Amino acid sequence: SFGLKVRSKSEALIAELLHLWKIPFHYDEEVAFKDSAGNWHTFSVDFIIMTPSGEKIYWEHMGLFHEELYRVRNFTKIRVLYDNEIMLSNNLIITMESKKHPLNPSTLDRIIRTQILPFFES
């Protein structure tokens, strides 16, 4: 509704909710990180949320986990993020879905309220 083009229906829902809550974010931004062996990896991050203190929260949505190559690429991405101290329950959010278990808007709302909004409260 606010003009951002995204790759999937679920990413559109996440973007809409972030926009609704007035949470500043970048979508599909390319980043480069070194892994623990010193090798560089460049990949796109679905959402990078910018907090008032300058911290970044990375949000990856994995909607094609039934595809092997997709899984391998995403596990590599998670490992590289971990090597750079981007970790679950700290500054990384990961959502997943399948045909059998689609993404639930109430789950997204809970994630935003509990894991993102506290960074925006004074």
Side-chain angles (χ1 to χ4, degrees):
S1 69
F2 63 100
L4 179 67
K5 293 185 190 244
V6 296
R7 289 187 308 268
S8 72
K9 174 180 62 171
S10 296
E11 288 180 355
L13 181 57
I14 293 167
E16 287 290 332
L17 288 171
L18 291 172
H19 180 72
L20 176 71
W21 281 101
K22 296 178 177 46
I23 296 169
F25 67 92
H26 297 270
Y27 174 72
D28 201 28
E29 186 171 296
E30 204 166 89
V31 296
F33 291 107
K34 279 187 180 180
D35 64 18
S36 59
N39 300 309
W40 284 97
H41 297 263
T42 302
F43 43 77
S44 294
V45 175
D46 293 332
F47 298 91
I48 300 176
I49 297 157
M50 313 304 292
T51 68
S53 68
E55 293 178 73
K56 294 179 180 179
I57 301 170
Y58 298 81
W59 188 334
E60 282 295 317
H61 176 68
M62 300 176 187
L64 300 173
F65 235 59
H66 57 279
E67 296 180 8
E68 178 67 20
L69 183 58
Y70 182 87
R71 270 195 312 275
V72 169
R73 275 196 325 260
N74 278 282
F75 282 134
T76 298
K77 185 188 293 187
I78 291 167
R79 182 185 48 78
V80 172
L81 290 172
Y82 175 81
D83 288 344
N84 288 272
E85 297 185 10
I86 300 168
M87 299 178 276
L88 286 170
S89 75
N90 184 28
N91 53 358
L92 175 62
I93 297 167
I94 297 175
T95 48
M96 295 178 177
E97 68 181 317
S98 68
K99 291 178 183 179
K100 196 174 186 180
H101 301 284
L103 194 58
N104 185 326
S106 64
T107 299
L108 295 178
D109 191 60
R110 179 183 46 78
I111 289 169
I112 290 170
R113 287 178 189 269
T114 62
Q115 296 182 50
I116 299 171
L117 287 180
F119 285 93
F120 291 85
E121 296 170 348
S122 351

